[in-house]
Amino acid sequence: MSDISSKANDPQHIGIIMDGNGRWAKQRGYSRPAGHKEGAKTTRKIIDACQDLGIKYLTLYAFSAENWNRPDVEVRALMELLEFFLSRETKTLIKQRVRLHAIGRIEELPERARKALQKAIDATAEFDEWHLVLALNYSSRNEVLDAVRSLAKAAAAGEVDPDSLEWGDVSQHLYTAGLPDPDLIIRTSGETRISNFLLMQSAYSEFYFTDVLWPDFDREQLEKAIATYRCRERRFGKTGEQLSHPAAST
Ligand code: FPP
């Protein structure tokens, strides 16, 4: 194992677009759901690795709002897998003191999956050090739309003054309210798109793309992504000079 003991400039929050389950299955002559099942095993390993590496927040893109357009059999398999994953993993999450969150239009998930999700969220609600966020029926554009709707209603009711709104007020209406923005976003499988994932929250995130398919992604790959992140200079609009000599800022 490489020496990757946690460092001060490590990411606090990693978001992952877990892509490539279908191709992994196809390469082996398996069905697509078999690829997702293998992907779920990777998910468990990466949760463990994040805890070992001191990553406090992990957000996983598990089902996008657009994924409903897949064949029924695959959608059903993904929902069943979610239910199975939650029933199997909740005990471990409790043992690891990981708090589960969900972002997305959760109310539109099938009842059984929704209930399993709520049960797991309730069972881990007391923890506040480690956080696992599942993006389910998630779409950044829907998230913005839902925030705009809720702010517009509040404005119509005279509860907020539109002219004094700031970004902080808007972000409080996103599904991710209360969660820090991701420092690093990883996408597996060689695709270099963001696919409607955390568009608002990733304004200053670093991106890491790898050809490795999600079922093959492992702790070593995660460490590689973190090592790359450590070499990046996050300037947040400032110059490199300002960052290395803060006194020369003015
Ligand atoms: C994208 O790969 C993956 C998904 C749409 C589903 C992600 C689900 C998992 C990793 C498993 C379950 C996780 C939980 C938390 C229950 P793809 O199917 O688009 O792959 P392809 O591009 O190779 O076809």
XYZ file of all heavy atoms in Angstrom, residues 13-18 39-44 46-47 56-65 67 78-90 93 98-107 109 113-121 124 130-139 143 175-176 179 196-198 201 214:
654
model
N -14.244 16.661 0.898
C -15.460 16.124 0.284
C -15.140 15.655 -1.138
O -14.667 16.437 -1.963
C -16.521 17.239 0.253
C -17.849 16.796 -0.306
N -18.929 17.638 -0.339
C -18.276 15.619 -0.836
C -19.969 17.001 -0.887
N -19.591 15.774 -1.194
N -15.408 14.394 -1.410
C -15.213 13.846 -2.755
C -16.576 13.442 -3.325
O -17.388 12.815 -2.638
C -14.266 12.624 -2.722
C -12.858 13.053 -2.267
C -14.186 11.955 -4.099
C -11.824 11.938 -2.258
N -16.816 13.826 -4.560
C -18.020 13.389 -5.271
C -17.589 12.407 -6.356
O -16.545 12.620 -6.993
N -18.359 11.360 -6.559
C -17.962 10.388 -7.589
C -19.114 10.073 -8.539
O -20.228 9.758 -8.111
C -17.447 9.058 -6.976
C -16.347 9.318 -5.932
C -16.916 8.140 -8.086
C -15.690 8.052 -5.381
N -18.818 10.192 -9.827
C -19.739 9.725 -10.863
C -19.288 8.304 -11.177
O -18.254 8.084 -11.828
C -19.687 10.635 -12.119
C -20.007 12.087 -11.719
C -20.660 10.121 -13.190
C -19.888 13.094 -12.857
N -20.053 7.344 -10.668
C -19.643 5.928 -10.733
C -20.080 5.371 -12.084
O -21.166 4.849 -12.234
C -20.325 5.145 -9.600
C -20.183 5.779 -8.221
S -20.988 4.813 -6.923
C -22.715 5.122 -7.219
N -20.646 -3.070 -9.141
C -20.410 -1.663 -8.796
C -20.771 -1.375 -7.350
O -20.087 -0.596 -6.668
N -21.815 -2.019 -6.863
C -22.219 -1.809 -5.465
C -21.135 -2.327 -4.514
O -20.899 -1.751 -3.444
C -23.558 -2.487 -5.195
N -20.449 -3.395 -4.916
C -19.349 -3.920 -4.071
C -18.226 -2.890 -3.988
O -17.617 -2.681 -2.950
C -18.808 -5.240 -4.652
C -19.775 -6.388 -4.516
C -19.091 -7.670 -5.001
C -20.121 -8.762 -5.243
N -19.608 -9.840 -6.098
N -17.953 -2.253 -5.152
C -16.914 -1.212 -5.162
C -17.318 -0.065 -4.231
O -16.486 0.486 -3.500
C -16.730 -0.668 -6.602
O -16.329 -1.733 -7.437
C -15.718 0.452 -6.654
N -18.605 0.279 -4.263
C -19.100 1.364 -3.420
C -18.750 1.105 -1.955
O -18.237 1.978 -1.265
C -20.635 1.477 -3.613
O -20.883 1.716 -4.988
C -21.220 2.596 -2.797
N -18.992 -0.106 -1.507
C -18.670 -0.438 -0.103
C -17.171 -0.256 0.162
O -16.756 0.342 1.151
C -19.166 -1.867 0.163
C -18.663 -2.606 1.364
C -18.441 -1.830 2.624
N -19.600 -1.170 3.242
C -19.487 -0.126 4.069
N -18.305 0.394 4.354
N -20.543 0.434 4.607
N -15.064 1.652 -1.338
C -14.644 3.061 -1.405
C -15.113 3.829 -0.152
O -14.432 4.734 0.327
C -15.109 3.712 -2.729
C -14.387 3.029 -3.913
C -14.881 5.216 -2.755
C -12.841 3.050 -3.864
N -16.250 3.432 0.396
C -16.681 4.052 1.666
C -15.625 3.748 2.742
O -15.191 4.635 3.479
C -18.072 3.528 2.114
C -19.149 3.903 1.091
C -18.441 4.058 3.502
C -20.493 3.204 1.290
N -14.105 13.123 4.915
C -15.306 13.210 5.780
C -16.624 13.101 5.006
O -17.630 12.685 5.566
C -15.313 14.552 6.531
C -14.080 14.805 7.358
C -14.248 14.191 8.711
C -13.064 14.515 9.599
N -13.015 13.649 10.763
N -16.621 13.560 3.772
C -17.854 13.562 2.974
C -17.623 12.842 1.651
O -16.665 13.148 0.939
C -18.301 14.999 2.652
C -18.726 15.808 3.857
C -17.775 16.434 4.661
C -20.072 15.946 4.187
C -18.154 17.175 5.771
C -20.465 16.689 5.295
C -19.502 17.297 6.078
O -19.882 18.036 7.167
N -18.524 11.930 1.346
C -18.454 11.220 0.070
C -19.844 11.291 -0.564
O -20.832 10.865 0.046
C -18.069 9.753 0.316
C -18.112 8.815 -0.893
C -17.063 9.221 -1.941
C -17.858 7.359 -0.454
N -19.920 11.870 -1.770
C -21.206 11.924 -2.473
C -21.132 11.031 -3.710
O -20.218 11.171 -4.528
C -21.553 13.378 -2.889
O -21.683 14.160 -1.708
C -22.874 13.435 -3.647
N -22.070 10.111 -3.820
C -22.064 9.145 -4.921
C -23.278 9.350 -5.816
O -24.416 9.399 -5.333
C -22.092 7.720 -4.342
C -20.913 7.349 -3.440
C -21.158 5.985 -2.788
C -19.597 7.331 -4.222
N -23.015 9.454 -7.112
C -24.100 9.625 -8.094
C -24.621 8.223 -8.398
O -24.074 7.511 -9.248
C -23.507 10.269 -9.346
C -24.472 11.047 -10.216
C -25.809 11.227 -9.880
C -24.013 11.641 -11.399
C -26.664 11.974 -10.695
C -24.864 12.383 -12.215
C -26.188 12.537 -11.849
O -27.028 13.274 -12.653
N -25.677 7.829 -7.706
C -26.142 6.451 -7.804
C -27.270 6.268 -8.817
O -27.447 5.178 -9.364
C -26.597 5.954 -6.435
N -28.049 7.340 -9.041
C -29.147 7.234 -10.014
C -29.553 8.649 -10.416
O -29.993 9.435 -9.576
C -30.334 6.492 -9.379
C -31.397 6.092 -10.364
C -31.299 4.904 -11.081
C -32.500 6.909 -10.596
C -32.273 4.537 -12.001
C -33.480 6.554 -11.510
C -33.371 5.357 -12.208
N -29.387 8.955 -11.689
C -29.720 10.307 -12.131
C -31.194 10.365 -12.532
O -31.809 9.330 -12.822
C -28.843 10.711 -13.322
O -29.305 10.062 -14.487
N -31.737 11.573 -12.580
C -33.141 11.744 -12.992
C -33.315 11.227 -14.426
O -34.397 10.776 -14.799
C -33.538 13.208 -12.890
N -31.755 8.614 -15.627
C -31.641 7.150 -15.671
C -32.995 6.434 -15.749
O -33.055 5.251 -16.083
C -30.859 6.618 -14.456
C -29.367 6.856 -14.530
O -28.686 6.975 -13.517
N -28.817 6.937 -15.750
N -31.864 -1.659 -10.612
C -31.147 -0.632 -9.851
C -31.890 -0.282 -8.565
O -31.270 -0.084 -7.513
C -30.938 0.617 -10.715
C -29.738 0.550 -11.673
C -29.809 1.645 -12.730
C -28.425 0.636 -10.903
N -33.219 -0.214 -8.636
C -34.004 0.105 -7.442
C -33.917 -1.038 -6.422
O -33.812 -0.822 -5.218
C -35.479 0.382 -7.812
C -35.662 1.691 -8.543
S -35.068 3.090 -7.547
C -34.219 4.057 -8.770
N -33.947 -2.283 -6.939
C -33.823 -3.434 -6.035
C -32.435 -3.464 -5.397
O -32.277 -3.762 -4.221
C -34.076 -4.742 -6.798
C -35.565 -5.009 -6.949
C -35.860 -6.111 -7.965
O -34.946 -6.881 -8.313
O -37.027 -6.166 -8.422
N -31.445 -3.110 -6.203
C -30.071 -3.091 -5.690
C -29.925 -2.025 -4.609
O -29.272 -2.250 -3.583
C -29.107 -2.825 -6.851
C -27.621 -2.856 -6.527
C -27.202 -4.212 -5.967
C -26.792 -2.554 -7.782
N -30.570 -0.890 -4.817
C -30.519 0.186 -3.818
C -31.106 -0.321 -2.495
O -30.519 -0.129 -1.427
C -31.291 1.416 -4.338
C -31.498 2.537 -3.337
C -30.158 3.190 -2.954
C -32.429 3.624 -3.916
N -32.255 -0.978 -2.610
C -32.925 -1.504 -1.420
C -32.027 -2.528 -0.713
O -31.858 -2.486 0.506
C -34.173 -2.228 -1.916
C -35.446 -1.838 -1.223
C -36.548 -2.747 -1.708
O -36.939 -2.606 -2.887
O -36.985 -3.608 -0.915
N -31.444 -3.417 -1.508
C -30.583 -4.467 -0.968
C -29.340 -3.843 -0.313
O -28.942 -4.201 0.789
C -30.181 -5.420 -2.109
C -29.213 -6.475 -1.700
C -29.624 -7.523 -0.881
C -27.890 -6.438 -2.121
C -28.724 -8.507 -0.490
C -26.988 -7.411 -1.728
C -27.410 -8.446 -0.912
N -28.769 -2.865 -1.014
C -27.564 -2.186 -0.516
C -27.853 -1.545 0.842
O -27.099 -1.687 1.798
C -27.146 -1.123 -1.542
C -25.959 -0.288 -1.142
C -24.669 -0.723 -1.384
C -26.126 0.951 -0.528
C -23.569 0.051 -1.029
C -25.041 1.724 -0.169
C -23.757 1.276 -0.423
N -29.000 -0.869 0.928
C -29.335 -0.167 2.168
C -29.586 -1.169 3.298
O -29.122 -0.963 4.430
C -30.560 0.722 1.958
C -30.315 1.927 1.023
C -31.633 2.564 0.622
C -29.399 2.955 1.686
N -30.294 -2.246 2.983
C -30.597 -3.200 4.056
C -29.325 -3.894 4.526
O -29.167 -4.186 5.692
C -31.658 -4.206 3.609
O -31.127 -4.968 2.565
N -28.400 -4.115 3.597
C -27.166 -4.804 3.977
C -26.158 -3.863 4.633
O -25.405 -4.249 5.515
C -26.542 -5.417 2.716
C -25.525 -6.496 2.998
C -24.820 -6.892 1.747
N -24.353 -5.703 1.012
C -23.878 -5.730 -0.216
N -23.828 -6.855 -0.879
N -23.462 -4.629 -0.816
N -26.131 -2.608 4.206
C -25.069 -1.696 4.627
C -25.369 -0.871 5.875
O -24.447 -0.338 6.489
C -24.713 -0.726 3.489
C -24.108 -1.380 2.272
C -22.801 -2.094 2.588
O -22.102 -1.677 3.524
O -22.512 -3.089 1.905
N -26.640 -0.739 6.228
C -26.962 0.178 7.327
C -26.204 -0.183 8.613
O -25.655 0.693 9.280
C -28.489 0.229 7.564
O -29.099 0.619 6.333
C -28.859 1.230 8.633
N -22.763 1.040 8.343
C -22.687 2.505 8.433
C -22.781 2.933 9.899
O -22.064 3.824 10.349
C -23.807 3.167 7.609
C -23.735 2.996 6.084
C -24.916 3.666 5.404
C -22.423 3.561 5.518
N -21.197 6.555 10.274
C -21.378 7.339 9.041
C -22.834 7.774 8.949
O -23.743 6.936 9.069
C -21.028 6.497 7.789
C -21.339 7.272 6.502
C -19.560 6.087 7.804
N -23.060 9.034 8.729
C -24.426 9.539 8.563
C -24.813 9.491 7.082
O -24.071 9.976 6.223
C -24.507 10.983 9.074
C -25.883 11.554 8.924
C -26.014 12.855 9.659
N -27.336 13.409 9.452
C -27.748 14.541 9.969
N -26.933 15.237 10.742
N -28.963 14.974 9.730
N -25.970 8.916 6.816
C -26.424 8.819 5.424
C -27.343 9.994 5.086
O -28.220 10.365 5.885
C -27.180 7.494 5.218
C -27.699 7.268 3.801
C -26.547 6.993 2.836
C -28.684 6.098 3.756
N -27.122 10.575 3.923
C -27.984 11.642 3.392
C -28.422 11.223 1.989
O -27.740 10.442 1.327
C -27.228 12.965 3.227
C -26.489 13.420 4.440
N -26.909 14.454 5.239
C -25.314 12.993 4.989
C -26.045 14.651 6.214
N -25.068 13.783 6.090
N -29.509 11.814 1.523
C -29.909 11.571 0.129
C -30.222 12.915 -0.502
O -30.805 13.792 0.143
C -31.132 10.668 0.077
N -29.798 13.083 -1.751
C -30.134 14.305 -2.489
C -30.815 13.898 -3.788
O -30.468 12.882 -4.385
C -28.886 15.202 -2.756
C -27.775 14.417 -3.491
C -28.350 15.796 -1.461
C -26.612 15.292 -3.957
N -31.788 14.690 -4.202
C -32.549 14.361 -5.408
C -34.037 14.407 -5.075
O -34.421 14.735 -3.960
N -34.857 14.088 -6.077
C -36.308 14.050 -5.834
C -36.650 12.674 -5.254
O -37.150 11.779 -5.955
C -37.068 14.358 -7.120
C -36.945 15.828 -7.508
C -37.776 16.162 -8.720
N -37.727 17.593 -9.021
C -38.122 18.128 -10.169
N -38.592 17.355 -11.135
N -38.059 19.431 -10.346
N -36.352 12.536 -3.988
C -36.487 11.257 -3.292
C -37.947 10.800 -3.256
O -38.246 9.602 -3.314
C -35.930 11.404 -1.842
C -34.466 11.860 -1.894
C -36.091 10.116 -1.047
C -33.546 11.024 -2.739
N -38.849 11.779 -3.198
C -40.284 11.441 -3.097
C -40.778 10.689 -4.336
O -41.827 10.044 -4.291
C -41.119 12.706 -2.836
C -41.170 13.751 -3.954
C -39.911 14.623 -4.092
O -38.935 14.415 -3.338
O -39.906 15.514 -4.976
N -39.087 8.189 -5.804
C -38.541 6.823 -5.855
C -39.657 5.834 -5.517
O -40.620 6.189 -4.826
C -37.408 6.670 -4.826
C -36.121 7.444 -5.082
C -35.155 7.270 -3.908
C -35.448 6.983 -6.372
N -38.009 1.380 -2.014
C -36.668 1.974 -1.971
C -36.678 3.203 -1.061
O -35.761 3.426 -0.269
C -36.220 2.351 -3.377
N -37.743 3.980 -1.177
C -37.868 5.201 -0.364
C -37.905 4.865 1.123
O -37.257 5.496 1.936
C -39.160 5.905 -0.772
C -39.120 7.402 -0.662
C -40.346 8.033 -1.229
N -41.570 7.583 -0.608
C -42.617 7.090 -1.260
N -42.583 6.950 -2.578
N -43.704 6.708 -0.613
N -38.650 3.833 1.454
C -38.760 3.433 2.865
C -37.429 2.928 3.403
O -37.022 3.264 4.505
C -39.839 2.363 3.036
C -41.235 2.964 3.020
C -42.259 1.982 3.501
C -43.601 2.683 3.690
N -44.730 1.746 3.613
N -36.746 2.115 2.587
C -35.441 1.577 3.008
C -34.456 2.729 3.217
O -33.656 2.732 4.163
C -34.919 0.613 1.954
N -34.555 3.716 2.333
C -33.665 4.875 2.409
C -33.948 5.668 3.693
O -33.029 6.012 4.449
C -33.894 5.742 1.166
C -33.002 6.934 0.968
C -31.547 6.499 0.791
C -33.437 7.724 -0.290
N -35.216 5.929 3.942
C -35.579 6.725 5.125
C -35.151 6.008 6.404
O -34.659 6.629 7.348
C -37.095 7.004 5.130
C -37.506 8.125 6.085
C -36.732 9.419 5.840
O -36.692 9.935 4.735
N -36.059 9.931 6.887
N -35.314 4.688 6.384
C -34.933 3.897 7.557
C -33.430 4.060 7.837
O -33.003 4.266 8.969
C -35.271 2.423 7.279
C -35.478 1.605 8.512
C -36.113 0.282 8.136
C -35.713 -0.770 9.161
N -35.960 -2.123 8.693
N -32.638 3.987 6.775
C -31.182 4.102 6.930
C -30.787 5.522 7.338
O -29.882 5.720 8.156
C -30.496 3.713 5.624
N -31.488 6.507 6.775
C -31.188 7.904 7.134
C -31.503 8.125 8.620
O -30.691 8.690 9.365
C -32.005 8.878 6.239
C -31.442 8.860 4.809
C -32.014 10.294 6.810
C -32.251 9.645 3.789
N -29.008 6.584 11.112
C -27.655 7.157 11.191
C -27.689 8.666 11.488
O -26.651 9.327 11.450
C -26.894 6.931 9.859
O -27.637 7.555 8.789
C -26.728 5.456 9.535
N -18.752 11.607 9.863
C -18.577 11.025 8.533
C -19.918 11.082 7.806
O -20.950 10.796 8.410
C -18.132 9.552 8.626
C -16.899 9.386 9.441
C -16.845 9.038 10.756
C -15.549 9.590 9.022
N -15.537 8.999 11.177
C -14.720 9.333 10.141
C -14.950 9.962 7.812
C -13.333 9.436 10.079
C -13.569 10.063 7.752
C -12.771 9.808 8.875
N -19.863 11.423 6.523
C -21.122 11.601 5.787
C -21.063 10.898 4.438
O -20.125 11.100 3.664
C -21.388 13.092 5.552
C -21.478 13.860 6.831
N -22.674 14.159 7.445
C -20.494 14.372 7.634
C -22.436 14.829 8.560
N -21.125 14.969 8.693
N -22.100 10.094 4.180
C -22.259 9.467 2.866
C -23.533 10.053 2.254
O -24.615 9.967 2.847
C -22.411 7.943 3.021
C -22.800 7.202 1.742
C -21.678 7.291 0.698
C -23.095 5.727 2.045
N -23.374 10.657 1.083
C -24.515 11.295 0.425
C -24.827 10.514 -0.849
O -23.969 10.388 -1.728
C -24.182 12.770 0.062
C -25.419 13.476 -0.495
C -23.618 13.520 1.267
N -26.035 9.987 -0.946
C -26.425 9.278 -2.174
C -27.264 10.213 -3.033
O -28.293 10.733 -2.578
C -27.235 8.023 -1.842
C -26.490 6.897 -1.114
C -27.421 5.703 -0.914
C -25.224 6.471 -1.873
N -26.808 10.446 -4.258
C -27.587 11.244 -5.207
C -28.501 10.273 -5.951
O -28.036 9.398 -6.698
C -26.656 11.976 -6.168
N -29.805 10.425 -5.712
C -30.794 9.476 -6.244
C -31.911 10.238 -6.921
O -32.469 11.172 -6.316
C -31.372 8.649 -5.083
C -30.384 7.688 -4.404
C -30.900 7.272 -3.033
C -30.151 6.460 -5.275
N -32.260 9.825 -8.113
C -33.211 10.602 -8.914
C -32.754 12.058 -8.886
O -33.532 12.978 -8.696
C -34.640 10.457 -8.379
C -35.671 11.061 -9.316
O -35.422 11.258 -10.501
N -36.829 11.394 -8.774
N -31.436 12.221 -9.048
C -30.811 13.538 -8.917
C -30.560 14.172 -10.281
O -30.166 13.481 -11.239
C -29.473 13.409 -8.165
C -28.768 14.746 -8.056
C -29.087 15.621 -7.027
C -27.838 15.150 -9.016
C -28.484 16.871 -6.941
C -27.234 16.391 -8.944
C -27.559 17.248 -7.902
O -26.968 18.485 -7.823
N -30.789 15.468 -10.339
C -30.463 16.275 -11.514
C -30.174 17.681 -11.000
O -30.981 18.245 -10.256
C -31.660 16.292 -12.474
O -31.837 17.570 -13.060
N -32.635 20.453 -9.298
C -32.298 21.017 -7.986
C -32.436 22.546 -8.011
O -32.999 23.150 -7.098
C -30.869 20.605 -7.627
C -30.408 21.105 -6.278
C -29.003 20.606 -5.937
O -28.177 20.456 -6.867
O -28.729 20.384 -4.751
N -30.635 20.904 -2.512
C -30.757 19.645 -1.758
C -29.566 19.477 -0.801
O -29.655 18.759 0.178
C -30.758 18.426 -2.698
C -31.772 18.435 -3.813
C -31.450 17.914 -5.068
C -33.067 18.930 -3.627
C -32.370 17.876 -6.101
C -33.988 18.908 -4.667
C -33.640 18.382 -5.900
O -34.553 18.345 -6.925
N -28.445 20.098 -1.160
C -27.198 19.916 -0.400
C -27.039 20.910 0.748
O -25.941 21.021 1.298
C -25.993 20.058 -1.347
O -26.171 21.272 -2.098
C -25.876 18.904 -2.308
N -24.319 20.903 3.591
C -23.153 20.075 3.231
C -22.107 20.964 2.558
O -22.468 21.883 1.814
C -23.560 18.964 2.256
C -24.608 17.961 2.769
C -25.117 17.086 1.624
C -24.009 17.081 3.862
N -24.894 16.602 -15.350
C -25.949 17.118 -14.462
C -25.708 16.788 -12.983
O -26.652 16.659 -12.206
C -27.306 16.547 -14.913
C -28.433 17.532 -14.756
O -28.267 18.600 -14.193
N -29.610 17.167 -15.225
N -24.449 16.626 -12.607
C -24.100 16.250 -11.223
C -23.499 17.452 -10.498
O -22.474 17.989 -10.924
C -23.088 15.103 -11.263
C -22.637 14.584 -9.915
C -23.550 14.140 -8.964
C -21.289 14.523 -9.600
C -23.124 13.640 -7.738
C -20.848 14.016 -8.372
C -21.770 13.582 -7.444
N -24.104 17.901 -9.444
C -23.570 18.950 -8.558
C -23.043 20.168 -9.324
O -21.949 20.668 -9.014
C -22.464 18.361 -7.663
C -22.869 17.205 -6.741
C -21.677 16.748 -5.909
C -24.020 17.589 -5.807
N -22.582 23.163 -7.011
C -21.635 22.920 -5.910
C -20.213 22.730 -6.402
O -19.269 22.791 -5.624
C -22.081 21.668 -5.126
C -23.448 21.766 -4.480
C -24.611 21.455 -5.435
O -24.447 21.353 -6.653
N -25.799 21.306 -4.879
N -16.005 1.587 -13.105
C -16.327 1.649 -11.678
C -16.121 0.321 -10.939
O -15.509 0.307 -9.859
C -17.736 2.209 -11.456
C -18.098 2.256 -10.000
C -19.035 1.510 -9.365
C -17.488 3.081 -8.984
N -19.061 1.811 -8.018
C -18.118 2.762 -7.761
C -16.461 4.026 -8.986
C -17.778 3.384 -6.550
C -16.106 4.642 -7.777
C -16.763 4.315 -6.589
